[in-house]
Amino acid sequence: MSLPYKDFFDFRIPAGADWGRFEKASKRIPHHGEIIISSYPKCGTTLIQHIVFLLLRGGKPADTIAEVLEAIPFPEQDGLQGGVHPLALKYHLPFRLTPFSEDTRYIYVARNPKDACVSYYHFLKGLPGYSIESFDVFFEAFLSGQLPYGESMDHILEWYEASSQHSNIFFTTYESLAKKKEETVIDLAGFLGQAKLDHITLKNVMQYSSFEYMRSLASRDDFYKKYLQASTGSQKEKTKGDTNPQMMRKGMVGDWRNHFSESQSRRMDEHFRAKTKNMKWTFGWTEDMLYKQKN
């Protein structure tokens, strides 16, 4: 099973992507001190965007979701306006295609492939041009990497290896943000040069980057809905079912258990072990990927 995509320098990008924008995003030269946030799709980029936005503003929250998206744009998809210096940039490209500079700080967030698979499925299933019949069909495409942005573990491992070689890459996981958020935020603040994060700022970052607050911010007006429709093509073409992409669905660890069969879980485990067989640390995902949770 394969979902529609196009090749971009031996990497898979959405079939409807603007090649020129991707090329400009990939080949641009980063500004001194720039911050780039990256992940495989549906792995925590939105959460990290909000955390970085808040940290760089001393904990001051946005009034609208548009404020966050304009402060941390997505050049692969939306391009960049000339002369604009945003707080940070968002990318989904692999490390080899992301513009690199030792003067730039990179933040990468990984997510266990089972939850990433389910979240990506719910995002893509209603979009025009995909016609995904079921989760079982999507699972096969995800496992084989025959879909936009390719195989998730390849994406993660490429960035993880880069982070072991470059001190200006902060590598974290969605699970750390879910289970040890305060500790992870403090570490990230230190990486961004805010070693002495005051209590009030930390409290505000925690509060205003909560899943509930982010979702309420996105629902204050229809900007997010129109932005996602325009950027995914769902504004131009209607398909059966819901064609409104969801950036924030559940925000939890372990929802994959509501979708995976025991056989699918076993196959993903085997795939994961094969990809990480030479690694001492496997991102702390052992319990998160168990088919049956421990009591």
Side-chain angles (χ1 to χ4, degrees):
M1 170 63 191
S2 175
L3 299 185
Y5 62 82
K6 66 174 65 168
D7 288 319
F8 178 76
F9 298 107
D10 295 322
F11 183 67
R12 292 163 183 163
I13 62 174
D18 185 316
W19 178 281
R21 285 182 176 176
F22 266 78
E23 187 172 32
K24 287 181 180 179
S26 179
K27 293 184 176 182
R28 61 181 292 275
I29 298 175
H31 298 294
H32 178 78
E34 193 167 273
I35 298 169
I36 290 179
I37 297 165
S38 182
S39 79
Y40 186 83
K42 308 309 298 173
C43 287
T45 334
T46 300
L47 174 56
I48 285 287
Q49 276 182 279
H50 281 261
I51 291 172
V52 170
F53 178 88
L54 290 161
L55 283 172
L56 297 180
R57 286 163 45 97
K60 181 183 177 182
D63 293 321
T64 64
I65 194 68
E67 195 176 346
V68 179
L69 298 181
E70 290 168 359
I72 307 179
F74 186 16
E76 299 165 26
Q77 176 178 284
D78 305 324
L80 276 178
Q81 295 181 1
V84 174
H85 296 287
L87 288 179
L89 296 174
K90 166 186 170 179
Y91 274 75
H92 281 322
L93 287 172
F95 176 75
R96 68 184 183 277
L97 294 176
T98 301
F100 183 79
S101 169
E102 295 291 351
D103 294 326
T104 297
R105 285 168 290 185
Y106 300 82
I107 302 165
Y108 186 86
V109 56
R111 190 178 192 180
N112 86 73
K114 293 181 179 180
D115 276 325
C117 177
V118 168
S119 188
Y120 203 12
Y121 162 69
H122 281 286
F123 181 74
L124 290 182
K125 70 175 183 177
L127 298 186
Y130 288 102
S131 301
I132 302 169
E133 297 176 3
S134 66
F135 175 74
D136 292 346
V137 170
F138 182 83
F139 173 84
E140 298 300 331
F142 185 89
L143 192 65
S144 65
Q146 299 291 317
L147 76 175
Y149 296 100
E151 202 280 318
S152 67
M153 286 306 302
D154 288 344
H155 198 286
I156 291 169
L157 292 173
E158 185 175 326
W159 272 97
Y160 180 67
E161 182 179 355
S163 73
S164 69
Q165 299 171 358
H166 301 281
S167 60
N168 60 327
I169 300 177
F170 182 91
F171 186 100
T172 190
T173 67
Y174 186 87
E175 291 73 18
S176 290
L177 288 164
K179 300 175 183 180
K180 301 184 295 181
K181 185 176 179 182
E182 183 171 317
E183 178 183 333
T184 306
V185 167
I186 291 172
D187 288 343
L188 177 56
F191 175 76
L192 295 175
Q194 300 180 15
K196 296 181 180 180
L197 190 63
D198 66 85
H199 175 72
I200 294 176
T201 299
L202 176 59
K203 180 182 177 182
N204 286 346
V205 172
M206 296 293 290
Q207 176 182 346
Y208 297 123
S209 66
S210 68
F211 181 79
E212 293 75 15
Y213 184 84
M214 291 191 300
R215 187 158 60 177
S216 70
L217 185 67
S219 64
R220 288 182 185 178
D221 53 43
D222 61 359
F223 176 87
Y224 214 4
K225 178 180 177 180
K226 290 181 178 179
Y227 168 78
L228 290 172
Q229 286 178 335
S231 62
T232 59
S234 51
Q235 193 176 42
K236 301 174 183 177
E237 181 181 344
K238 295 294 182 182
T239 59
K240 292 182 179 179
D242 182 13
T243 59
N244 293 327
Q246 298 180 43
M247 287 298 289
M248 291 173 276
R249 193 177 61 90
K250 287 189 175 181
M252 63 180 288
V253 176
D255 185 48
W256 67 266
R257 294 185 180 93
N258 296 318
H259 296 75
F260 274 57
S261 67
E262 189 167 0
S263 173
Q264 288 170 335
S265 178
R266 184 178 63 254
R267 289 176 62 199
M268 185 69 83
D269 288 340
E270 292 170 351
H271 180 74
F272 180 75
R273 284 194 294 269
K275 291 287 185 180
T276 60
K277 62 181 178 181
N278 296 320
M279 296 177 61
K280 294 181 180 180
W281 182 62
T282 53
F283 312 108
W285 291 337
T286 301
E287 291 190 10
D288 296 322
M289 292 180 64
L290 290 175
Y291 185 68
K292 294 182 179 179
Q293 290 178 286
K294 292 182 178 180
N295 295 325

